[in-house]
Amino acid sequence: MYGTFWALLPPIVAIVLALITKETYSSLFLGIVVGALFVGGFNPVDSLNSMLNDGFIGAIADGWNAGIFMFLVLLGIMVALINSAGGSAAFGRWAVKHVHSRAGAIIATVILGVLIFVDDYFNCLTVGSVMRPVTDSHKVSRAKLAYIIDATAAPICMIAPVSSWAAAVSATAQDLDTGVSGIQLFIQAIPYNFYSLLTIVFVIAITVMGFDYGPMAKAEFKALQGELGSLGNDDETSVEGASIWDMLLPVIVLIVFCVIGMMYVGGFWDGASLIDSFADTDASVGLPWGCIIALLVTFVYLLCRRVITFKDATACITKGFVAMVPALLILTFALTLKNMTGLLGADVYVAGLVKGAADSLFSMLPAIIFLVAVGLAFATGTSWGTFGILIPIVLPVFADAPDLLMIGISACLAGAVCGDHCSPISDTTIMASAGANCNHIEHVSTQLPYALTVAAVCFVNFILAGFIRNAVICLAIGIVLILATLFVIRGAVNRKNGRNA
């Protein structure tokens, strides 16, 4: 079975089951079981041994993966600690006094979402509670707030080198034969991640242009009449004496020490240049290295500020771990499935399958990969599971075309984020609704036209990228297409409303 079509059956099983059941964990697990049966020759004992030792234990015991798991847990503890100390609520109170317009409230929300780029969970858990008072005071609908939260969560994390998403992608690609480290692969793919980059352009452009369309326009009209779309119970947990620095300082410290940690591990203080230190770093060591120092600094700082008791601070350890359990499970299953497909030689089969492809069809592959990733992420509700399945399959396709490799990987990552952004069963989408305290179905229905608009432009961009193969030119074209599309839509909206465009 090695190097044959059967090597692709485990991820295919996971994909098909995800499409049918709309459930991530069981679909990935059954894909792992199928892979283990193939590896073990359908011998129950050998299959179980392969699934446990080569699969789950291999994924968990791997030094790289263990470091990434540690980083995620530490990050969860940091999130819980900041929220419990009242830093988020304090920032919200400060922002209410300094933001004076609807556009300003939305842009401030975007900026905060961009700044909190270390983790999408961190983003959703923080931005909503911080900015609700600000957007409410300017009659911005909760549906619009939820969209902004969602648009600056996963899309931003997917282009931030110091983030849990960078760590997850690095872990998935680390042991694959790419010629570069996992973190290098992630960084080099950023310029072609059109969905993440163009989502930022879209949000800013539609805010500056001052209009909405589709279900979002109806939600915004109701908000102006006083119906914000809140589910109620918006009372904030406020801590006496808390200030905005109780949120800003920990985030700044986290970013600084994670960067220093990656530079240190890469040999910067041993004489390596800045670029070489990032090229040679080990994210599985550098990120936990920086995060644990930042967590200790934050712990001591908040205790000295007396905005949290020692008992409550230590309780955040458990809260943070629990919050990261879904992410840890998805990553474990994805890495285990990767191990199974690797043992079956899926990369060998796929590489051989595409060698005879015509040049024109081959150049279209990034756009096709984008659509496949969108569909899979939409069905499963997970970006991590999507690129965990697709990256090991995509990489061998471009083994003989290194100039297309980064475009193909970016298409996979962009599609994973796009599908996750649109999916009603995505944990990030659900948390965005919770962060804005709005009806989840309303959030999904109002943001879907916006996400699909950006996705359509991205699909065109990936077609062009396969032939142009220049990130700057393609991104410029994408920005022009986004702006042109919005001008056309605004004209249609104005005509529908009986106004001159």
Side-chain angles (χ1 to χ4, degrees):
M1 288 185 178
Y2 183 86
T4 66
F5 170 78
W6 297 106
L8 290 181
L9 194 58
I12 289 175
V13 167
I15 293 171
V16 171
L17 287 176
L19 291 171
I20 295 173
T21 66
K22 305 295 189 294
E23 207 285 318
T24 304
Y25 304 113
S26 61
S27 301
L28 287 171
F29 179 73
L30 288 174
I32 292 167
V33 171
V34 172
L37 288 172
F38 287 169
V39 173
F42 292 93
N43 180 296
V45 175
D46 290 343
S47 297
L48 182 60
N49 180 67
S50 177
M51 183 173 67
L52 291 177
N53 291 325
D54 299 326
F56 283 103
I57 295 176
I60 296 171
D62 181 83
W64 173 274
N65 298 338
I68 300 306
F69 293 156
M70 181 180 179
F71 174 64
L72 291 176
V73 172
L74 291 170
L75 197 58
I77 297 170
M78 177 77 83
V79 172
L81 192 60
I82 293 172
N83 289 336
S84 296
S88 300
F91 184 88
R93 292 192 299 271
W94 175 87
V96 167
K97 298 178 181 178
H98 293 81
V99 177
H100 305 293
S101 67
R102 294 184 87 249
I106 295 172
I107 294 298
T109 306
V110 172
I111 292 172
L112 181 60
V114 171
L115 290 176
I116 305 179
F117 56 77
V118 291
D119 183 70
D120 59 328
Y121 288 11
F122 189 4
N123 184 301
C124 291
L125 292 172
T126 303
V127 175
S129 60
V130 170
M131 298 306 298
R132 278 202 307 260
V134 183
T135 55
D136 284 357
S137 65
H138 293 286
K139 295 185 178 181
V140 176
S141 70
R142 291 298 179 86
K144 188 65 170 287
L145 174 61
Y147 169 67
I148 300 300
I149 294 171
D150 220 346
T152 56
I156 296 299
C157 292
M158 190 57 97
I159 55 174
V162 183
S163 70
S164 57
W165 287 58
V169 174
S170 300
T172 302
Q174 181 64 22
D175 297 326
L176 301 174
D177 187 17
T178 63
V180 296
S181 67
I183 192 66
Q184 283 179 287
L185 186 75
F186 179 87
I187 293 172
Q188 291 176 24
I190 291 174
Y192 283 106
N193 196 322
F194 298 128
Y195 186 79
S196 294
L197 296 170
L198 293 180
T199 292
I200 302 172
V201 175
F202 179 91
V203 171
I204 295 175
I206 201 168
T207 302
V208 173
M209 294 171 73
F211 81 103
D212 290 284
Y213 60 94
M216 188 70 79
K218 296 179 181 178
E220 285 290 87
F221 179 77
K222 289 181 179 179
L224 291 173
Q225 307 304 313
E227 298 179 32
L228 297 178
S230 169
L231 295 179
N233 298 319
D234 286 320
D235 294 336
E236 290 186 297
T237 301
S238 183
V239 177
E240 185 178 353
S243 75
I244 61 170
W245 289 106
D246 296 330
M247 187 193 77
L248 294 180
L249 188 62
V251 172
I252 293 171
V253 169
L254 175 65
I255 295 169
V256 169
F257 277 105
C258 282
V259 172
I260 291 175
M262 295 179 72
M263 292 169 58
Y264 171 77
V265 173
F268 180 77
W269 278 272
D270 292 328
S273 68
L274 180 63
I275 296 176
D276 289 340
S277 65
F278 273 101
D280 297 332
T281 194
D282 184 343
S284 69
V285 178
L287 291 177
W289 191 98
C291 195
I292 196 168
I293 294 176
L295 181 58
L296 291 172
V297 171
T298 301
F299 195 91
V300 173
Y301 167 75
L302 294 176
L303 286 178
C304 291
R305 288 264 299 119
R306 296 185 179 181
V307 291
I308 191 170
T309 65
F310 182 80
K311 181 180 180 180
D312 289 341
T314 53
C316 292
I317 297 174
T318 305
K319 291 180 183 178
F321 181 85
V322 170
M324 283 297 176
V325 166
L328 293 170
L329 280 175
I330 291 174
L331 186 55
T332 299
F333 284 1
L335 290 169
T336 302
L337 183 61
K338 184 187 77 171
N339 288 349
M340 294 294 100
T341 57
L343 290 172
L344 291 170
D347 55 343
V348 175
Y349 173 72
V350 173
L353 193 65
V354 299
K355 278 184 178 178
D359 288 342
S360 59
L361 177 61
F362 194 72
S363 296
M364 286 285 290
L365 282 177
I368 296 171
I369 291 169
F370 175 74
L371 290 182
V372 171
V374 169
L376 178 56
F378 181 83
T380 61
T382 170
S383 294
W384 290 23
T386 297
F387 60 66
I389 291 171
L390 292 182
I391 285 180
I393 297 175
V394 168
L395 281 173
V397 172
F398 302 105
D400 297 326
D403 54 338
L404 267 179
L405 174 62
M406 291 307 161
I407 303 176
I409 292 297
S410 296
C412 176
L413 299 181
V417 172
C418 178
D420 179 269
H421 194 188
C422 297
S423 177
I425 60 173
S426 161
D427 52 357
T428 308
T429 306
I430 293 169
M431 285 193 294
S433 302
N437 195 23
C438 72
N439 181 275
H440 178 60
I441 299 303
E442 183 181 17
H443 166 46
V444 174
S445 63
T446 52
Q447 86 162 1
L448 193 58
Y450 287 11
L452 291 179
T453 300
V454 180
V457 173
C458 288
F459 177 69
V460 174
N461 249 32
F462 278 117
I463 294 176
L464 297 175
F467 296 93
I468 298 174
R469 303 184 187 183
N470 183 293
V472 176
I473 294 176
C474 290
L475 186 57
I477 293 173
I479 292 173
V480 171
L481 288 175
I482 284 287
L483 296 177
T485 300
L486 286 177
F487 275 113
V488 171
I489 294 174
R490 187 176 69 170
V493 169
N494 288 341
R495 286 191 297 272
K496 181 179 179 181
N497 294 334
R499 297 192 301 266
N500 293 326

